[in-house]
Amino acid sequence: MRYGPIDNKLFIANRANLVKNMKPGAVAILVSNDLMPKGADSFHVWRQNPDMFYLTGVDQEETFLVLFPDAPLDEWKEILFVRETNEKIADWEGEKLSKAQATAVSGIKNVQWSNMFEQMLPAIMFESKCCYLNTNEHARYSSEADYAELRFERKIRTKYPIHTYERLAPIMHQLRAKKHEVEIELMKHAASITKKGFERVCHFVKPGVMEYQVEAELTHEFLSNGSRGHAYEPIVASGKNACVLHYVVNDKPCKDGDLLLLDVGAEYAGYASDMSRCIPVNGRFSPRQKQVYNAVLRVFYQVKANLKPGRILRDNLKACQEAIEKECVDLGLFSMNDVNNQDKANPLYRKYFMHGVSHFLGIDVHDVGNHYRPIQENMIFTCEPGIYIKEEGIGVRIEGNMLITKSEPIDLLGHIPMEVEAIEELMHSK
């Protein structure tokens, strides 16, 4: 792995918290992600099932986890199954974890080879009162693709049709939303790598460079600092391209006089950072660009201040929308008279701000969590207001990663320049 060892107290604590939320006599079974075919004999870059990683730290395919806290045998209470290395695998792919290494990573004492999973499963199932299974229950997930958890769910229900089954996802969403101190440190490190990428780009960008060249500079810096790369498809959008929210083709030239919107973030040890900044291609904001940018920055600070324990994310979005509406009036995009006569079902600000302002952040960029429950200490959210003026070719989004504390939130990206003057100064420094 490109990252250093993670203290297994994280995974031990995560499993203990899960067990506290399971029903008496229940067993929980998790499976690792598939290797997804790309074409011919190649596969897409593999990434571990986030819940499997959260509970074990094992970053390896063909992994199974069984948690059975009320098992009749102590050795059944936690069982980790990992792929056994052989000479061919070692020659072609590199060695996999030994049992001792898997124990060191996860803190699980009973480690078996993956081919033992099917042999041991019947006895465990017959002793359990119910079984927790996992699927992707993220509110924004929409895909026709089959995946390992779904196949396992169908298989086990067919084999044990009169057992009782429970959903694991609601428990995992609750647990993963609050970050352990080890997770917070990993996310701070991801943010520090993102900072280095941003600084590199600020020294690189000038009129005539291509968006994909900017992406390459970021990728170089991320990989050079031990990241697996981008935590998500990078958005490098110059001029009017910044008004396309998920612009990822990154294939246009950066022109003199344009703003360049960067929505990028490094991943480190499985954890994401998520940054948005806008920089002037020629190194200086025009008066209008500065006006729009500072409008978004004011909203950013207002939204940030509202991210406190006890608040509800959806209420924060409403406050953000009201602030954006006021800024749009001040920018001359519409008047208060227009606001007073607008269609309430289709408010005018939506032309210029059409997305949310905060999402959970963690192992997944759009991490799991409940948007309807009160914010709690040690949760981490993005804060990302924006204003997009297509007719002027200006799109501005500013984004930080907010660690919730008892008082003011801490922006994990706060060490990355955000004010107009600081950005211009960085772009002209060498």
Side-chain angles (χ1 to χ4, degrees), residues 162-181:
I162 61 174
H163 276 63
T164 300
Y165 295 93
E166 298 285 344
R167 294 161 56 212
L168 188 61
I171 301 175
M172 296 304 300
H173 289 199
Q174 179 183 344
L175 296 180
R176 282 175 53 188
K178 290 188 68 174
K179 301 300 186 282
H180 188 282
E181 60 183 21

Side-chain angles (χ1 to χ4, degrees), residues 63-200:
T63 304
F64 301 88
L65 174 65
V66 173
L67 297 177
F68 190 3
D70 297 327
L73 300 176
D74 285 345
E75 58 264 33
W76 285 5
K77 292 185 177 181
E78 290 188 332
I79 313 174
L80 179 65
F81 298 84
V82 297
R83 185 183 181 190
E84 183 177 8
T85 298
N86 58 38
E87 188 174 337
K88 182 178 180 181
I89 291 172
D91 286 344
W92 285 82
E93 303 175 28
E95 292 185 359
K96 305 299 177 181
L97 292 173
S98 68
K99 290 182 179 181
Q101 289 170 330
T103 294
V105 168
S106 66
I108 296 175
K109 294 179 181 178
N110 187 4
V111 178
Q112 303 290 330
W113 299 128
S114 296
N115 58 16
M116 290 295 297
F117 175 72
E118 294 289 348
Q119 297 181 42
M120 296 181 67
L121 185 60
I124 291 169
M125 286 295 291
F126 295 148
E127 291 296 330
S128 66
K129 293 183 178 180
C130 67
C131 178
Y132 284 90
L133 299 176
N134 208 21
T135 57
N136 187 345
E137 295 190 22
H138 195 288
R140 296 179 60 173
Y141 177 74
S142 177
S143 175
E144 297 293 327
D146 206 353
Y147 58 96
E149 289 174 321
L150 279 180
R151 289 200 311 279
F152 181 72
E153 185 262 348
R154 292 195 299 267
K155 180 178 179 180
I156 198 168
R157 283 180 181 270
T158 300
K159 193 170 184 178
Y160 307 100
I162 61 174
H163 276 63
T164 300
Y165 295 93
E166 298 285 344
R167 294 161 56 212
L168 188 61
I171 301 175
M172 296 304 300
H173 289 199
Q174 179 183 344
L175 296 180
R176 282 175 53 188
K178 290 188 68 174
K179 301 300 186 282
H180 188 282
E181 60 183 21
V182 174
E183 293 180 287
I184 293 170
E185 290 305 312
L186 293 173
M187 293 181 71
K188 285 180 178 178
H189 192 74
S192 72
I193 297 174
T194 299
K195 177 178 184 288
K196 292 178 180 179
F198 179 74
E199 290 172 344
R200 182 185 183 98

Side-chain angles (χ1 to χ4, degrees), residues 374-402:
I375 294 171
Q376 295 178 283
E377 189 178 355
N378 288 340
M379 290 181 171
I380 297 180
F381 300 101
T382 61
C383 173
E384 48 181 311
I387 293 177
Y388 311 90
I389 311 173
K390 293 180 182 179
E391 54 269 29
E392 298 183 35
I394 297 176
V396 174
R397 182 164 61 252
I398 303 172
E399 182 176 16
N401 300 167
M402 303 303 169

Side-chain angles (χ1 to χ4, degrees), residues 355-419:
H355 58 79
V357 71
S358 290
H359 59 76
F360 288 86
L361 183 69
I363 297 177
D364 288 312
V365 176
H366 290 162
D367 211 16
V368 293
N370 192 316
H371 286 248
Y372 306 97
R373 292 179 181 171
I375 294 171
Q376 295 178 283
E377 189 178 355
N378 288 340
M379 290 181 171
I380 297 180
F381 300 101
T382 61
C383 173
E384 48 181 311
I387 293 177
Y388 311 90
I389 311 173
K390 293 180 182 179
E391 54 269 29
E392 298 183 35
I394 297 176
V396 174
R397 182 164 61 252
I398 303 172
E399 182 176 16
N401 300 167
M402 303 303 169
L403 169 63
I404 306 303
T405 71
K406 292 179 181 178
S407 54
E408 296 297 318
I410 297 171
D411 187 357
L412 303 185
L413 300 174
H415 50 7
I416 300 176
M418 189 180 305
E419 306 283 343

